[in-house]
Amino acid sequence: MKYPALQSLTARAAIGFAIISCVVVSALGLYLYTSAKQALEARADYTLVGRVERFRTLLQDLYNVRQMEERPALFESMLGNEQDVRIFQRMGEKPFIDVNPGHMTVPSMSPVPVDQEVSIGALYKGTSADGVGVRWVSALAKVGNQAGTVRITAAYVLTQESRMLAAYRLRVMGAIALTALLSSLLGFLLLKRGLGPLGVMRDRARQVSPTNLTVRLPEENMPSELRQLAHSCNAMLDR
């Protein structure tokens, strides 16, 4: 089945222009979205690494584990998000600080040794039950001058980052829809104006008849492509 509207050269060109614009805007939006996602995730990774290193520094400044057990709020409030995980435990014992609001299962991780800095490569990437990204890390820390060590397990839930990316996706989709609409409308108007000389040639050609062969198609003030076409038609009429 043929649709009359699609048989118009102007409509076809306008739709083609809109499709090209949507493809370009979609590719650009995807690139910007991917870049923003990588930047937000990198910021979250460095935030988690920096906070675990601060945990280690605080533990080294304490005299014994008892001081840490007496001041758990100092460590329970240092990750920021309500869903973040912070677990402190002496080796072989149950955690004496266990903050895990989402009751997430701690993945199997090898803790970073005491004499090594926590790096991005030590992070474990996972997801929460609702599909939000989670960064995990585990590290050993000394407490003061004691021989024993404490294992720190921390997780950063990318809740804020996920909300920002979701809002950004909606903006990209809105930009694509708006681009398609404006490209179609502006392209149609521009092409209709640009193809106006064809209408002039059409009206002049309608005047040609077996009894009126003196009419010629206009060549002046025409685009070069149409001027060549008009010249060929006029030459045919002359013959």
Side-chain angles (χ1 to χ4, degrees), residues 6-29:
L6 296 181
Q7 294 179 1
S8 169
L9 179 60
T10 303
R12 289 182 179 181
I15 293 174
F17 183 72
I19 292 175
I20 293 175
S21 300
C22 288
V23 171
V24 172
V25 173
S26 299
L28 180 60

Side-chain angles (χ1 to χ4, degrees), residues 15 27 89 121 138 145 167 236:
I15 293 174
Q89 63 183 125
S138 180
N145 296 323
M236 178 186 66

Side-chain angles (χ1 to χ4, degrees), residues 179-192:
T179 298
L181 179 61
L182 291 179
S183 298
S184 301
L185 179 60
L186 295 178
F188 181 83
L189 295 177
L190 180 63
L191 288 170
K192 187 175 181 179

Side-chain angles (χ1 to χ4, degrees), residues 5-6 12 31 42 49 58 76 83 88 104 131-132 140 154 162 169 176 183 194 208 210-211 223-224:
L6 296 181
R12 289 182 179 181
Y31 171 77
V49 168
L58 286 173
E76 292 178 358
Q83 298 86 358
F88 293 77
M104 293 184 291
V132 178
L140 299 178
S162 298
R169 282 196 301 270
I176 294 173
S183 298
V208 178
T211 60
S224 59

